Amino acid sequence: MWMQRLMWIAWPAFLMAGVMEMVVFAFVDPEALQWFDQPLRLSREGVYTIAFFTFWFVLMASSALTTLLSLSPFELNRCPVPKGARPADCAKYVS
């Protein structure tokens, strides 16, 4: 189940990071970028790579938040351990 949810988060974020990369770098030249008034000492490919993984991370965070907010109260509050092995504070929830 968790692997499926991870794919719900990572795969759409990966696809949209690729689209975002194309849109951003259609208008921005990586060699014209500066950091604290100094030109970046990275190749074009280095800037593309760092930007892609940054976009992917931000979009995965967004997808993860959407996935978390889509869970029902039952899914969030249920105790994952079997009934006989539950700690005292987990006994009130039914799984």
Side-chain angles (χ1 to χ4, degrees):
M1 181 67 170
W2 284 106
M3 188 59 84
Q4 183 180 24
R5 284 209 175 129
L6 178 63
M7 286 296 102
W8 289 348
I9 293 167
W11 182 240
F14 177 83
L15 294 175
M16 291 312 298
V19 170
M20 197 168 176
E21 179 102 1
M22 288 185 285
V23 170
V24 167
F25 289 112
F27 299 103
V28 176
D29 180 14
E31 291 182 349
L33 296 175
Q34 294 188 356
W35 184 262
F36 294 110
D37 292 330
Q38 299 293 322
L40 290 178
R41 296 184 181 166
L42 293 170
S43 66
R44 284 180 181 266
E45 292 81 9
V47 174
Y48 293 147
T49 302
I50 290 171
F52 175 80
F53 283 109
T54 302
F55 295 153
W56 194 14
F57 176 76
V58 169
L59 291 165
M60 277 196 302
S62 172
S63 295
L65 182 60
T66 301
T67 302
L68 175 68
L69 292 174
S70 71
L71 294 176
S72 71
F74 173 76
E75 289 174 306
L76 286 174
N77 294 326
R78 71 183 168 126
C79 188
V81 294
K83 196 170 193 171
R86 292 181 184 167
D89 63 342
C90 197
K92 63 182 176 181
Y93 301 113
V94 178
S95 58

